[in-house]
Amino acid sequence: VLRAVYNLGRASTKAGALKEARPLLERALGGYRKLYGEANPNTAKAELWLGEWNVRAGDLDAATARLAAIESSKAKLSPLVQSQRATLAADIAAARHDTAAEIVARKQAWDLMRDAWGESHPLTAECAVAYAVALARAHRSEEAAAVARPVVSIVDGAFAEDSKVRRELSPWR
């Protein structure tokens, strides 16, 4: 049941349904802490998505505290969760208008996914697009294009037409 609660909270956060997401994520985090303790990947994942919730809710101090908790966790994190941790760091940096830190974290997320799942995985492509967008915002358009253009067909084949990642990729079509 906790996994379903966690997944619903994560999906609700991604969809912007913050009011609905927070109690779900808090329930999942509390349940995982009780069952497994702090040094568990499930606990870290719930903490991570509460951090993403904090970013979306505009509470960057809480998001930063959650990121610090994840970074100090003894949990063995999969490459996907490591990439999500880097994405949380990038999202915090972006919200703080720290372009340099955002670019470093987005590149880290992309590299983790490429190393673990390869160039052609849809989640790797999603990280590539986020990195390209950050580069473009920093007026590094040639680098952004070099990252984004190779993933157009992957994104088009894997993501819904109205998805955020496809909209973000539009400058490089």
Side-chain angles (χ1 to χ4, degrees), residues 104-171:
V104 168
R106 298 248 186 250
K107 173 92 166 53
Q108 180 185 28
W110 182 44
D111 287 343
L112 284 160
M113 291 303 296
R114 282 190 304 170
D115 291 348
W117 292 7
E119 296 276 347
S120 61
H121 193 282
L123 296 178
T124 303
E126 187 175 27
C127 288
V129 172
Y131 178 45
V133 168
L135 288 168
R137 277 198 310 265
H139 308 291
R140 294 167 59 179
S141 16
E142 287 182 24
E143 290 171 83
V147 170
R149 285 194 179 116
V151 301
V152 170
S153 64
I154 298 165
V155 170
D156 286 350
F159 292 91
E161 218 172 289
D162 64 343
S163 65
K164 178 183 175 196
V165 67
R166 284 185 74 170
R167 288 190 307 272
E168 289 177 335
L169 191 57
S170 63

Side-chain angles (χ1 to χ4, degrees), residues 23-166:
L24 295 167
L25 291 170
E26 287 175 343
R27 179 176 168 201
L29 179 60
Y32 286 141
R33 280 183 173 148
K34 184 177 178 182
L35 281 172
Y36 306 119
E38 292 294 330
N40 182 272
N42 291 315
T43 304
K45 289 190 305 186
E47 190 84 60
L48 188 146
W49 279 97
L50 273 164
E52 286 292 352
W53 185 95
N54 291 130
V55 170
R56 287 165 172 80
D59 189 350
L60 300 182
D61 291 338
T64 301
R66 290 196 189 280
L67 179 61
I70 297 161
E71 289 174 337
S72 68
S73 172
K74 303 287 187 225
K76 175 124 175 80
L77 303 180
S78 70
L80 173 62
V81 178
Q82 291 175 46
S83 176
Q84 290 172 335
R85 179 183 59 200
T87 297
L88 174 58
D91 291 346
I92 293 168
R96 289 197 164 129
H97 308 287
D98 184 347
T99 304
E102 179 190 6
I103 288 172
V104 168
R106 298 248 186 250
K107 173 92 166 53
Q108 180 185 28
W110 182 44
D111 287 343
L112 284 160
M113 291 303 296
R114 282 190 304 170
D115 291 348
W117 292 7
E119 296 276 347
S120 61
H121 193 282
L123 296 178
T124 303
E126 187 175 27
C127 288
V129 172
Y131 178 45
V133 168
L135 288 168
R137 277 198 310 265
H139 308 291
R140 294 167 59 179
S141 16
E142 287 182 24
E143 290 171 83
V147 170
R149 285 194 179 116
V151 301
V152 170
S153 64
I154 298 165
V155 170
D156 286 350
F159 292 91
E161 218 172 289
D162 64 343
S163 65
K164 178 183 175 196
V165 67
R166 284 185 74 170

